[in-house]
Each structure stands twice: as structure tokens, then as C-alpha cells.
Amino acid sequence: MEDENKLSIYRAARTIKRRENTLYNALRSIHDDSIFVGEISQLWPDLPLLANLRCGLWYFPKFHSTCYFKSTDGHNNNWSFNTSRLNLHVAHLAGQKGGCIIVDSTRKGKRFPDSMSKTIPIWTCVFNRAIANHRSRMQDHDKLMEGVNSHNHESETCDQHVENTRQASCEWDSSLHMPLWVSKTEKASIEERLEGWTKELEASGADIASLASCLKKPLRPLWISQKTVIWLNEVPDHDSWDFTPIILVSASSSTGVIQHRTTSEFSWNYIPGAGDDEESWARGLSPDLFWNNVYDIINSGPDLCNQKVANMVEKDRVYRAQRGQNAPQVTLKTPKSSHSTSDPSYVEPILSSDNLDVKNDIQFCDDDSTLYWLGTTNIAVGTALAAANTTCAGCILNCGQDSISACHLNTEAYLHLPIVNSKLDRFSLRKNLASAVNFAKLNLRKGKTLLVSCQNGEDISICVCLAILTTLFDDGGTFDDGKSFSETHITKLEMRRRLVFVCKFAVKARPSRGNLKQVYSFLSCGRASSHTPSAPNTM
């Protein structure tokens, strides 16, 4: 009987939570929080606004760029500095603009996600330490040059330069700055690991010299939430600080109680961190589609929101399909028990495109069609849409699920390898890498440019490029037809160095751990074929 009561309480709690976490509650909460984000961004309008993927992308209509700092890298006793997520573009952007603002959010109970409390502070500190080491090496070099030029008439100028460098090095702050709510014990444990992480960064192949010349002041995080008190008449200019600010904005209110909010038309329950875990609530809606139609969605109210969004999602899907873009059918769970459509927790079936009149009554979204050329390697990486639209690539390696139109290419210049995510098939990438490398070798030998694409251009295509660069190029990024690979035992460190090279150019790269493991397995087993391959079969 007691177990039944517990189960009943559990079911009741789940039902209440499900009714609170409705689509309208989530979107209305995000919309309210975005007003706060806009107010903060206007305090420092010259600083670029970045979204920390994926949650942060919901909280403002337009971002300058994105970044990827994972909360798991900051979890207690699981602290990490991950060289596969260096976010080098963030540091360069902060150096160019004098700082940046990063937006993220978290569920109730916390003011800031661990990505902001610990992951980013660790990142700024490790980069500052690596830059300080580089500056110290440059200082030693200048001292050596001072000795060489000691009898030169221009030694006075050299002395002044050395003195300026020495003074700047002493002023470079490489200490760990963390928020007050991180305990001293935890901070001390993190500090013990900083030296090792700094060595990992220096060994990763990241261009610290370029970063050191770009950053005039050390990086330092600042934290702003809805509870932060800011005197508007005393807001300092970002240039007035003696550091490069990385302003971390936690978009949501951190109240621990349910906030019931009301306007003249509707009422709803506020959800802190509503943008988190979008698969569980967004029903196929993307941040771009939401912000393109935000007022229409918000003004539809709680009762009509689900149907309104379902209409938009399906119309956007049909719009994409008509243009040859990625357009998977959205399927939703139906309730186990009968509900009325007026019940906010009710999930109606998705609309059929057969009965849908697609008109321009909503603002549609287009997939990203950006190409990222990887230095001078003649290799580019991008989305499936980029591959379908481009004419500047001599050959295309399509790693997405759907084939694309490549009628301007002959059969030897197009290969379709439908590789799926590691969560669906742990060996899908590994099984196709030999074919991918052989196709690349065949075309790169002829001096052709190669475009590697997948659905989002962020994971599978990045990993395929990583395998191609490692097996067919030397350390300097020069094509050598696999000569250096055949003479080298590839270690995880070497693979990470090549990944840093890729991410330097493909700033949206987010390779998954499962796919990187498959790449390393392929490389360590030397699966690349050394013979000249025959022309591949197209699909």
C-alpha cells in the first residue's frame, strides 16, 4: 500500500511538472528572459554577443557567433580542459573587439550553469597561462638579442623594447578567477591541475603566438544574472578595465519557486532555463524559426500555441524540402490517455503536408550554407546545403543521409557515404572512413579541391576531414599522399593537434566523442589504403 502511495505521488508530481512545462510556458519564459539579455548587451554595445550552444541560442534573436563550453567540463571532481573544444575563435574575437558577452541559462536552483561558473574560468586561466609562457619566451629571446646588439648604436631602442616587454609580462594576470560561490577547496583542486592543462594546450598545436599578439590584456570572466545590481550611471567602459572581459550572462531568473505570471490577455508559469534540453519540449521548433515568428507565437496564447507551432514547423519543413534542404519529418509522442485539446499537456499529432497549404504567412529559415576552407589544404567543410549550392569545389564527399544534386560533377568527383551519428550506430563512421580517404586521395592527387559535407557541417564531416588530413597530409598541412602517415605512429596527442588545426578554420565544429573515438580507431589501425583506388561508385 505504501509503495502504491509513493507511486501515486510520483505520478502526480510528473503530471504537475508536465503541465507546468508546456510549450507556451517555455517560449514565453524564453521571450521574457531575452529582454534582460538585450538590456545587458546594450550596456556594452561594442562587444559581440555569443550564444553558448545549445541552450543559449534560444535567448536572443541575433548573435554575432556561437561557442561551445560544456557544463560537464566544470562538474565537481570532473573538471576538464578539452582540447577538442578550444573555442579559439572566442579568444580571437575578444582580442579584436576588446571583450565579448556569452549567453547561457540553467534550470532552477542555480544562478549560473557550471559552464559559466567553472568551465569558462578554467578556459580563460589556461589561455592566460599559455600566453604568459609565450611572452616569457619572447622576453628571453629579446634579452638574447639585447646582448647581441649591445655594441650597436641602436641598443637604446632595443633596451626600451626589452623593458616594455618585461613590464608587460609582469602585469599579465594568469591567476584563476572564479565566482564566490565556488568553494575554496574546489578552487584549490582546480588550481592543482592548471599546469597540466596549460601543457596540453601548448602541445595541441594551437597558435598561441597569434593569440598573444591579438590579446592586449589577459582574459577575465565577469558574471551577470538577473539578481546582479547594476547602476546604469556607473557602467564602466570595457576599455577602462585592465583585462579583456568575458561577460557571462545567465539569462534566467534563479528563483526556486514557481512564478505565475499574468498579462492582460494570458497567464503562464515561468520556467527558468527553459531553453535547455530542447528535444523534450520544442516539438521541432528551432531558435531561428521561433525568433522569425516570435510575436505571432507569443500572441497565440497557451491554448493555441501547440497548434500554431505545429503549423509553422510543418510549413518550414515543406519549404526546406522544396528547396532541397534537410527536412526530416517531425514525429511527436501522443498521450497514453485521452485528453481534450484544451489541456495544455495534450500533444496533438503533427500535421500532414498533404493537407497543408504552404503560404508565405510565416518567416521561414534557411540552413547554413557557409563553407570553411581549411587553410591551404584545398579541403573545405560545410553543410549539405552548402554542398548542394556550391560550384567552387572540384569534388564533393557527401556524408549526410540524403543524396544531393551534383550534376556538374562527373562520377569520379562525387561520392555519397550515408554515415549516421555514433548514438545510432557506433561503427558507421569507422566503416566508411577507408572509402572516404581513398576518394580524397584520388581527387587530391589530381589537384582538385575537395568539399566534405554532412547535415550540419559540425560533427561527421569534421571527423572525416580529420581522418583525411591525418592520413594524407604532413604536419605542416601539405598533401604528401600518405607518406608521413605511413612512417608515423599516430597518437591521441597527434590526432588532437590535427583537430585543433581543423577547428581553427571551422569555428562551428562540434565533433562528438563517439565519432572521434572511431577516427582514432581507424587511424591507429592504419586502415587507409596505400594503393591507388579505382573510381568509387556513386549513390
Side-chain angles (χ1 to χ4, degrees):
M1 184 67 180
E2 185 179 348
D3 290 340
E4 289 181 4
N5 288 336
K6 287 182 179 179
L7 188 59
S8 298
I9 294 172
Y10 173 75
R11 285 176 176 171
R14 288 292 300 271
T15 301
I16 293 172
K17 183 178 180 181
R18 189 163 53 246
R19 291 187 176 183
E20 291 172 0
N21 293 346
T22 64
L23 180 61
Y24 186 80
N25 285 346
L27 296 177
R28 188 67 197 238
S29 302
I30 289 170
H31 181 260
D32 279 18
D33 289 339
S34 72
I35 297 172
F36 169 70
V37 173
E39 291 172 346
I40 297 302
S41 67
Q42 286 305 305
L43 296 179
W44 296 280
D46 294 334
L47 297 186
L49 192 67
L50 281 67
N52 192 32
L53 298 173
R54 290 177 304 166
C55 178
L57 203 55
W58 285 94
Y59 285 92
F60 206 64
K62 188 69 174 177
F63 287 96
H64 183 280
S65 185
T66 61
C67 53
Y68 189 40
F69 294 98
K70 291 191 69 173
S71 285
T72 51
D73 290 339
H75 286 175
N76 200 2
N77 293 320
N78 191 46
W79 313 289
S80 175
F81 179 84
N82 199 314
T83 53
S84 65
R85 295 186 289 272
L86 281 181
N87 291 286
L88 275 168
H89 67 290
V90 179
H92 278 284
L93 188 61
Q96 293 164 5
K97 302 293 185 179
C100 66
I101 303 172
I102 298 177
V103 177
D104 203 350
S105 186
T106 188
R107 294 287 184 176
K108 62 183 179 182
K110 284 185 176 182
R111 286 179 64 185
F112 291 85
D114 284 344
S115 60
M116 290 184 163
S117 295
K118 285 169 277 188
T119 305
I120 295 178
I122 289 171
W123 175 82
T124 58
C125 181
V126 171
F127 268 86
N128 284 337
R129 290 169 66 97
I131 292 172
N133 290 344
H134 172 79
R135 291 162 68 94
S136 178
R137 288 191 293 270
M138 293 299 99
Q139 178 182 332
D140 292 341
H141 176 266
D142 286 342
K143 285 182 179 179
L144 180 62
M145 293 302 297
E146 177 188 9
V148 172
N149 297 326
S150 59
H151 300 293
N152 193 296
H153 292 295
E154 298 179 357
S155 61
E156 183 178 348
T157 302
C158 183
D159 289 344
Q160 184 63 43
H161 176 68
V162 170
E163 181 59 32
N164 291 340
T165 304
R166 184 183 298 111
Q167 182 178 354
S169 180
C170 294
E171 294 174 353
W172 193 266
D173 181 10
S174 58
S175 57
L176 178 64
H177 294 275
M178 305 199 81
L180 296 176
W181 55 87
V182 175
S183 69
K184 293 181 179 179
T185 302
E186 186 173 4
K187 183 180 179 181
S189 297
I190 293 173
E191 286 175 326
E192 292 174 357
R193 294 163 170 80
L194 290 174
E195 183 62 28
W197 290 333
T198 305
K199 290 179 179 178
E200 287 181 19
L201 172 59
E202 292 172 336
S204 70
D207 190 354
I208 303 299
S210 172
L211 195 57
S213 64
C214 178
L215 277 168
K216 306 306 179 186
K217 305 174 186 177
L219 299 166
R220 182 168 175 177
L222 300 174
W223 296 267
I224 296 179
S225 73
Q226 293 197 25
K227 289 187 176 181
T228 304
V229 177
I230 300 177
W231 299 101
L232 296 181
N233 61 336
E234 298 181 4
V235 175
D237 188 87
H238 67 273
D239 286 335
S240 66
W241 285 315
D242 58 357
F243 53 85
T244 302
I246 307 295
I247 300 174
L248 309 178
V249 178
S250 183
S252 296
S253 171
S254 58
T255 178
V257 297
I258 298 172
Q259 293 185 22
H260 190 73
R261 300 185 178 183
T262 306
T263 65
S264 58
E265 295 181 275
F266 309 116
S267 62
W268 73 97
N269 291 326
Y270 174 77
I271 305 173
D276 194 21
D277 190 24
E278 62 188 55
E279 289 88 352
S280 66
W281 61 268
R283 304 162 62 80
L285 187 68
S286 67
D288 281 343
L289 188 58
F290 168 61
W291 284 110
N292 284 351
N293 303 275
V294 59
Y295 297 113
D296 202 13
I297 294 174
I298 295 301
N299 293 334
S300 67
D303 294 337
L304 300 178
C305 180
N306 285 5
Q307 191 65 42
K308 192 78 174 179
V309 168
N311 262 312
M312 289 182 175
V313 169
E314 183 59 17
K315 286 183 179 182
D316 187 62
R317 189 192 72 81
V318 174
Y319 172 84
R320 289 168 178 267
Q322 291 173 346
R323 284 154 181 76
Q325 300 175 18
N326 179 61
Q329 178 71 51
V330 179
T331 55
L332 302 173
K333 293 182 179 179
T334 55
K336 294 181 180 179
S337 58
S338 60
H339 290 75
S340 69
T341 55
S342 61
D343 183 348
S345 65
Y346 172 69
V347 182
E348 75 281 348
I350 198 72
L351 297 177
S352 169
S353 60
D354 296 335
N355 302 320
L356 195 65
D357 182 20
V358 180
K359 298 178 181 178
N360 291 328
D361 56 348
I362 71 169
Q363 295 295 315
F364 296 106
C365 297
D366 289 316
D367 286 337
D368 185 9
S369 58
T370 306
L371 289 182
Y372 296 100
W373 289 95
L374 307 183
T376 58
T377 62
N378 279 344
I379 298 176
V381 63
T383 63
L385 177 64
N389 292 340
T390 188
T391 57
C392 61
C395 58
I396 295 176
L397 174 55
N398 174 19
C399 302
Q401 286 298 289
D402 301 319
S403 184
I404 61 174
S405 175
C407 54
H408 62 289
L409 300 175
N410 60 40
T411 56
E412 290 186 354
Y414 176 73
L415 176 63
H416 181 204
L417 298 175
I419 303 172
V420 299
N421 190 280
S422 59
K423 292 182 178 179
L424 301 176
D425 183 344
R426 290 174 11 191
F427 305 105
S428 177
L429 177 62
R430 166 78 185 269
K431 289 183 292 189
N432 285 281
L433 281 178
S435 299
V437 170
N438 287 336
F439 173 78
K441 181 187 292 187
L442 174 71
N443 286 280
L444 291 172
R445 278 176 176 173
K446 299 176 182 178
K448 291 183 178 181
T449 55
L450 168 67
L451 169 59
V452 182
S453 68
C454 66
Q455 177 183 331
N456 58 19
E458 298 175 358
D459 186 3
I460 293 173
S461 57
I462 296 294
C463 290
V464 172
C465 283
L466 175 61
I468 292 171
L469 285 170
T470 307
T471 53
L472 301 179
F473 289 74
D474 63 17
D475 285 342
T478 302
F479 178 74
D480 67 357
D481 207 17
K483 182 176 182 295
S484 59
F485 177 67
S486 64
E487 299 171 351
T488 308
H489 174 68
I490 298 298
T491 63
K492 289 184 178 180
L493 174 60
E494 179 58 30
M495 192 182 85
R496 283 198 294 267
R497 288 174 60 90
R498 301 297 179 104
L499 179 60
V500 168
F501 174 82
V502 174
C503 295
K504 175 182 178 181
F505 301 100
V507 296
K508 290 188 177 180
R510 291 195 297 155
S512 64
R513 186 166 178 261
N515 284 337
L516 288 175
K517 288 175 68 175
Q518 292 181 69
V519 174
Y520 181 69
S521 174
F522 167 77
L523 295 175
S524 59
C525 292
R527 290 289 300 277
S529 174
S530 59
H531 65 276
T532 303
S534 58
N537 294 323
T538 57
M539 296 183 64

